[in-house]
RNA sequence: GCCGGAGUGGCGGAAUUGGCAGACGCGCGCGACUCAAAAUCGCGUUCCUUCGGGAAUCUGGGUUCAAUUCCCAGCUUCGGCACCA
């Protein structure tokens, strides 16, 4: 009761105080839990982060790779992805840019679907629940997304346009002569009038365009085309379309019961989601013809500012190599041997009725050293050329190869295996008769599935030749020397040296000169030509699953046609059961209402495609949707796109290097070719964040102490929720910035957050209660205070450009320390002090938006700090008046000079030589040299 | 094997790109305040030292007045690709 009485007595007096005075006496403690929810609500109510349409201001589009929401929610590792870009977005807003900083959800795909099956909950419901939880966490961290633009890729208003783009791809082909995508209608007209000969000829003479049309697509004449049925024509067009359906050897994931793309399988043959070893199956699947864009995907890497690592990964993935294709005629056995040949690359006298075997080689100059050929066991000519005597052995080998997993088959350490087919080919450059073998070290998926073997100069061919006793002929010799290849213990790298025993190119330096000479020789003889080869294969997009964007295709008696535009979106049917089938068919195939397409009389006129698109389709264009996210007339508004795109800064994980980041580039180029978008690259700058590991070391299977990834199953996840609850969102944000270099992988430190929290407490105290708790008196001038403030602005501005978030925080910590020093020197209350605190709060706004808002309100009574301008850097204020110049003798610091900043060079040199520290080492003799680096140091050489 | 990163105190990391190595923070130690603790504040904290200094940025060379930074060789480590013809 006594206490209450005291309070009652005091209250009227307190009420008479001004709010400012009240704040100084009563509200000095920083309690983030009190202020953060208050400001988050106010920001939302007043929509201060909402971005308007295109305007006259310079724009800045900063995008985080949108997340795939999971039931586990976000960890502090996810927060590390999103906080630094938010700081950049907030800084650019205060600098006067029109900033687009949106968020969306990548919702379709296996994890949600698998969770739905396991928990027996509809994936639509799970999607909404997971996404809502992510939004809650984002808001908890004070992230300044424009929530009015939030979308979810599993909503029909979004996937309707994913389907529209699919249709554009289906109705387009890559015209190699224009080097761009063009309407299939134009192609059909050309086929009607002229056939496809011109297109094939063009590709033949422009090897970089090998991917423009299907490998097995043969030329047709106009007459042949016009004689085809519509069904045959549609089948033929599949060899051209940018979205096409084909039988293909695919990676089948037996756990998820679905096919996966090459990009989704690691080097051990495991699917990246399920971790299951994939099985090779031949299935009819939908693909996007990314190989048509192989060349441009490599070239345009030069116009983007991306991490070297990602650029090189994309280059390697596309895997462009230069070489030649050479045709080897199969010897039909009616000839005795090479004596029948006429030489000079002319046709052998006995022309084989069998087709020739085409090989791809990057070293056509070593043709004269080709002593045998090797075909992949899957090569289509194997059955045809195998002799009766060898048939049993060959078939047994093929059966064995088929049974093996890719993992064991491509194990390099394993000894070479293979079988002779009994057939021979004629080496076209020297008419030597060489045996044809099959071996699993030759892959059907690369090049032509057949090689010429040059054992003297290729390690694999060498091992094979040694094992099976095949001849080894050396055709490259080190300068001045020559060997016969006998007694070699390993293949000799054909990188340098000179060609020997190589007919017309003998004596040519090995390398580009010999390769060019060999290609010229082959082209002249009509046996081969220059060729570009790409490692990349077409992008497999179809999935035998329910939870994805339905593919808008109808199979009719005449072949595949698209779902008419006015019937889009083709909606996912609401069903009870969406479990994958045992047959490998999509669950949609079991729903007659969905599958059957009927005319107005109820007659079935076609069947809908039942595969859905992999979620990569959604993420390949979602960034194009944010500028006009709810347009129901078009996928995007051209004017808004033109203003906002390309993305200025894209931030996300490096794990998407050859997935999303490659696919998005292809789609952007297609849309550019079709005049839908006015740019060829979607992301001008890209930055990858590092991973945050769990804080505790554990002992791995090798007995080493290591840090692990955070994972729900290991129970080592630290959530932003728990950090915010204890120290507030601002401390979490500051620590996410401060923890390490942005791109570095580093363990979370539980002691780090209290560290930055202490800094924020100090900021709070110095901003609000500068006249309390004075420390020991200091010497610090108003001039020095201004200098510290403006140097901090300068450092912030520099560091934010280079993504140096950790040094932004350390710079602001140093500035805070200096403010305490200035306070102890009695500067509080001066005009310079007011400016210094004003700058502090503005610089703090992007980093600790809640605290900055609270401080701003208490200091100025205004709202909102986030709509204030960025502090202007004053170079004069930042300039040093005096500088300390270290004096070195032979590179070692022996003294220091404190001089006015504009002291001239001669004076500084004289002072340096005369300094006590220097004189002790000079010993009277004149120095050999005195070097002065302006404003840095003096080095005296004695 | 090929491609691309990275190696700096007990820890996370700075160093204006050739110019004072170790900013800032964590941790630790000492001290102030306190009956005490917490919080807070102050001081110290690369190593060796005979207190003059000396040695240090993965190792060994090199260029330079000067190297964490550039060059050569090697080691370790992370990521990617890989019987790619």
């Amino acid at each position: 009761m006594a206490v209450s009485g005291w309070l009652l007595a005091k209250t009227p007096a307190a009420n008479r105080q001004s709010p400012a005075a009240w704040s100084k006496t009563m509200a000095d403690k920083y309690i983030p839990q009190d202020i953060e929810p208050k400001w988050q609500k106010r920001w939302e109510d007043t929509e201060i982060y909402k971005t308007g349409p295109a305007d006259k201001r310079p724009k800045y589009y900063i995008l985080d790779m949108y997340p795939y929401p999971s039931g586990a929610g976000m960890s502090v590792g996810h927060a590390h992805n999103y906080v630094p870009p938010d700081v950049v977005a907030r800084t650019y807003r205060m600098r006067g840019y029109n900033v687009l900083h949106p968020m969306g959800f990548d919702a379709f795909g296996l994890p949600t679907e698998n969770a739905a099956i396991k928990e027996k909950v509809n994936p639509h419901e799970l999607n909404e629940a997971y996404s809502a939880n992510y939004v809650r966490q984002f808001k908890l961290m004070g992230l300044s997304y424009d929530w009015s633009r939030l979308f979810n890729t599993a909503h029909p208003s979004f996937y309707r346009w994913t389907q529209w783009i699919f249709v554009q791809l289906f109705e387009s082909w890559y015209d190699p002569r224009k080097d761009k995508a063009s309407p299939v209608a134009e192609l059909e007209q050309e086929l009607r009038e002229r056939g496809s000969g011109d297109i094939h000829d063009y590709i033949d003479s422009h090897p970089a365009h090998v991917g423009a049309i299907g490998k097995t697509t043969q030329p047709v004449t106009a007459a042949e085309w016009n004689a085809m049925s519509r069904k045959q024509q549609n089948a033929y067009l599949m060899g051209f379309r940018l979205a096409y359906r084909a039988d293909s050897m695919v990676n089948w994931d037996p756990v998820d019961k679905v096919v996966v793309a090459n990009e989704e399988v690691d080097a051990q043959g495991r699917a990246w989601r399920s971790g299951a070893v994939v099985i090779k199956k031949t299935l009819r699947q939908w693909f996007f013809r990314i190989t048509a864009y192989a060349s441009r995907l490599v070239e345009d890497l030069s116009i983007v500012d991306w991490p070297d690592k990602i650029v090189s990964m994309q280059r390697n993935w596309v895997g462009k190599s230069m070489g030649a294709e050479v045709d080897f005629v199969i010897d039909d056995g009616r000839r005795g041997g090479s004596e029948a040949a006429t030489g000079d690359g002319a046709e052998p006298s006995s022309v084989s009725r069998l087709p020739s075997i085409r090989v791809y080689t990057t070293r056509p100059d070593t043709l004269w050293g080709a002593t045998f050929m090797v075909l992949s066991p899957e090569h289509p000519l194997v059955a045809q050329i195998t002799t009766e005597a060898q048939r049993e052995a060959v078939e047994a080998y093929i059966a064995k190869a088929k049974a093996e997993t890719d993992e064991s088959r491509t194990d390099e350490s394993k000894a070479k295996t293979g079988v002779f087919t009994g057939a021979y080919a004629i080496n076209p450059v020297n008419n030597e008769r060489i045996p044809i073998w099959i071996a699993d070290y030759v892959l059907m998926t690369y090049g032509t599935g057949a090689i010429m073997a040059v054992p003297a100069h290729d390690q694999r061919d060498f091992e094979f030749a040694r094992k099976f006793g095949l001849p080894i002929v050396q055709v490259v010799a080190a300068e001045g020397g020559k060997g016969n290849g006998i007694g070699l213990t390993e293949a000799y790298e054909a990188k340098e040296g000179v060609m020997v025993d190589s007919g017309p190119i003998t004596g040519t330096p090995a390398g580009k000169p010999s390769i060019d000479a060999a290609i010229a020789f082959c082209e002249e003889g009509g046996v081969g030509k220059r060729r570009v080869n790409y490692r990349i294969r077409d992008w497999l997009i179809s999935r035998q699953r329910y939870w994805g964007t339905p593919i808008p295709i109808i199979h009719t008696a005449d072949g595949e046609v698209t779902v008419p535009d006015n019937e889009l979106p083709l909606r996912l049917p609401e069903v009870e059961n969406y479990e994958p089938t045992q047959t490998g068919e999509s669950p949609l195939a079991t729903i007659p209402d969905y599958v059957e397409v009927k005319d107005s009389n109820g007659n079935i006129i076609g069947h809908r495609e039942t595969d859905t698109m992999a979620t990569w389709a959604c993420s390949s264009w979602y960034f194009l949707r944010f500028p006009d996210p709810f347009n129901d007339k078009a996928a995007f508004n051209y004017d808004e796109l033109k203003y906002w795109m390309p993305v200025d800064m894209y931030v996300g994980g490096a794990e998407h290097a050859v997935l999303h980041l490659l696919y998005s580039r292809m789609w952007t180029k297609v849309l550019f070719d079709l005049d839908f978008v006015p740019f060829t690259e979607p992301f001008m700058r890209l930055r990858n964040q590092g991973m945050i590991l769990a804080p505790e070391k554990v002992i791995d299977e090798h007995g080493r102490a290591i840090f692990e990834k955070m994972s729900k199953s290991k129970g080592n996840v630290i959530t932003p929720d728990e950090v915010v609850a204890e120290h507030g969102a601002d401390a979490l944000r500051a620590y996410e910035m401060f923890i390490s270099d942005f791109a570095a992988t580093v363990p979370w430190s539980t002691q780090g957050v209290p560290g930055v929290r202490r800094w924020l407490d100090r900021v709070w105290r110095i901003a609000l209660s500068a006249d309390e708790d004075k420390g020991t008196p200091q010497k610090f001038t108003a001039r020095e205070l201004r200098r510290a403030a403006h140097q901090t602005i300068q450092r912030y501005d520099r560091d934010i450009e280079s993504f140096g978030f950790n040094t932004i925080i350390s710079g602001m910590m140093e500035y805070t320390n200096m403010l305490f020093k200035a306070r102890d020197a009695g500067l509080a209350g001066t005009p310079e002090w007011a400016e210094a605190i004003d700058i502090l709060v503005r610089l703090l706004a992007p980093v600790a938006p809640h605290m900055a808002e609270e401080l701003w309100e208490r200091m100025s009574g205004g709202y909102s700090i986030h709509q204030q301008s960025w502090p202007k850097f004053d170079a004069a204020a930042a300039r040093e008046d005096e500088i300390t110049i270290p004096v070195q003798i032979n590179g070692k610091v022996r003294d220091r000079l404190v001089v006015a900043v504009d002291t001239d060079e001669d004076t500084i040199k004289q002072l340096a030589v005369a300094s006590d520290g220097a004189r002790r080492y000079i010993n009277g003799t004149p120095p050999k040299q005195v070097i002065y680096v302006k404003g840095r140091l003096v080095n005296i050489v004695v």
Side-chain angles (χ1 to χ4, degrees), chain A residues 192-243:
Chain A
R192 274 196 302 276
E193 293 167 4
R194 290 182 286 145
S196 64
D198 181 52
I199 298 160
H200 279 87
D201 288 349
Y202 188 88
I203 292 171
D204 273 350
S205 55
H206 295 79
H209 289 297
V210 284
I213 62 175
K215 263 187 187 178
T216 57
T217 303
Q218 297 299 316
V220 294
T221 62
E224 285 167 337
W225 169 263
N226 291 318
M228 286 182 187
S229 68
R230 186 59 200 162
K231 185 172 183 171
Q232 288 171 321
Q233 289 180 338
N234 273 329
Y236 185 74
L237 290 174
M238 279 296 185
F240 292 80
R241 296 183 189 278
L242 293 182

Side-chain angles (χ1 to χ4, degrees), chain A residues 197-441:
Chain A
D198 181 52
I199 298 160
H200 279 87
D201 288 349
Y202 188 88
I203 292 171
D204 273 350
S205 55
H206 295 79
H209 289 297
V210 284
I213 62 175
K215 263 187 187 178
T216 57
T217 303
Q218 297 299 316
V220 294
T221 62
E224 285 167 337
W225 169 263
N226 291 318
M228 286 182 187
S229 68
R230 186 59 200 162
K231 185 172 183 171
Q232 288 171 321
Q233 289 180 338
N234 273 329
Y236 185 74
L237 290 174
M238 279 296 185
F240 292 80
R241 296 183 189 278
L242 293 182
Y244 67 94
R245 193 164 180 249
D247 282 324
S248 177
M249 188 82 86
V250 298
N251 308 298
W252 173 259
D253 179 336
V255 170
D256 278 334
K257 298 190 179 66
V258 68
V259 299
V260 294
N262 295 319
E263 287 83 352
E264 294 174 298
V265 179
D266 68 13
Q268 281 73 48
R270 292 176 185 278
W272 83 314
R273 285 281 189 205
S274 72
V277 173
V278 299
I279 298 165
K280 292 286 179 188
K281 270 193 177 182
T282 299
L283 289 171
R284 176 154 277 214
Q285 298 286 317
W286 285 96
F287 293 86
F288 294 136
R289 200 176 300 282
I290 196 168
T291 49
Y293 284 84
S295 195
R296 282 165 64 186
L297 287 170
V298 172
E299 280 164 27
D300 288 354
L301 286 172
S302 64
I303 66 169
V304 295
D305 170 14
W306 285 18
D308 291 345
K309 176 181 164 173
I310 305 294
V311 169
S312 89
M313 279 172 73
Q314 290 213 346
R315 263 209 186 93
N316 293 340
W317 189 262
V318 174
K320 185 174 185 172
S321 68
M322 316 274 209
E325 270 179 6
V326 182
D327 291 331
F328 284 63
V329 172
I330 299 166
D331 186 38
D332 68 356
R334 286 182 301 176
R335 295 182 312 131
S338 60
E339 67 276 6
T342 52
D344 292 327
E347 284 274 289
S349 55
S350 106
V351 178
S352 172
R353 287 190 308 273
L354 291 165
S356 54
I357 298 173
R358 179 165 288 187
V359 303
Y360 174 74
T361 175
T362 54
R363 291 306 300 260
D365 54 332
T366 61
L367 261 166
W368 285 265
T371 54
F372 57 100
M373 294 185 79
V374 188
L375 307 190
S376 163
E378 293 88 10
H379 196 282
L381 288 178
V382 171
Q384 217 176 328
I385 64 170
T386 301
T387 60
E388 284 314 311
Q390 291 300 105
R391 189 162 300 277
E392 202 175 320
V394 166
E395 280 171 3
Y397 185 82
I398 292 171
K400 195 173 128 264
K402 209 172 193 172
E404 265 188 292
T405 64
D406 250 25
E407 188 174 9
S408 64
R409 208 178 131 168
T410 57
D411 180 3
E412 275 174 76
S413 59
K414 130 187 144 163
K416 294 278 173 293
T417 61
V419 168
F420 180 42
T421 62
Y424 290 83
I426 305 299
N427 185 333
V429 296
N430 58 11
N431 291 313
E432 291 286 336
R433 187 167 178 264
I434 59 175
I436 305 171
W437 287 62
I438 62 169
D440 63 7
Y441 79 90

Side-chain angles (χ1 to χ4, degrees), chain A residues 811-868:
Chain A
M812 291 183 68
M813 285 172 165
E814 284 181 66
Y815 179 46
T816 308
N817 292 344
M818 272 189 260
L819 283 167
F820 273 85
K821 208 173 162 186
R823 178 199 68 178
D824 293 344
L827 293 176
T830 63
E832 289 84 0
W833 180 264
E835 183 199 5
I837 297 297
D838 180 84
I839 288 172
L840 173 70
V841 175
R842 285 173 200 258
L843 294 182
L844 193 69
V847 175
H850 310 83
M851 178 191 272
E853 193 75 279
E854 181 76 17
L855 293 177
W856 184 252
E857 186 191 54
R858 292 192 190 201
M859 285 165 21
S860 74
Y863 175 82
S864 155
I865 181 67
H866 303 299
Q867 292 168 323
Q868 305 304 313

Side-chain angles (χ1 to χ4, degrees), chain A residues 64 67 74 82 103-105 133-145 147:
Chain A
D64 302 316
M74 282 186 271
Y82 301 115
M103 181 46 67
F105 294 112
N133 187 43
Y134 270 55
V135 170
R136 182 191 63 76
Q137 284 185 303
F138 280 133
K139 289 181 178 174
L140 192 67
M141 294 188 267
L143 296 168
S144 64
Y145 298 120
W147 291 111

Side-chain angles (χ1 to χ4, degrees), chain A residues 97 145 149 189 576 611 654 758 869:
Chain A
Y97 284 81
Y145 298 120
R149 292 177 190 247
Q189 187 180 346
E576 293 297 312
D611 282 359
R758 273 195 282 277
S869 64

Side-chain angles (χ1 to χ4, degrees), chain A residues 22 131 250 268 272 344 364 450 524 528 536 614 625 707 753 783 805 835 869 908 911:
Chain A
W22 179 83
S131 303
V250 298
Q268 281 73 48
W272 83 314
D344 292 327
E524 210 171 298
I536 190 172
R625 188 64 173 164
F707 291 103
V753 184
R783 170 85 184 94
F805 300 104
E835 183 199 5
S869 64
I908 288 176
L911 287 168

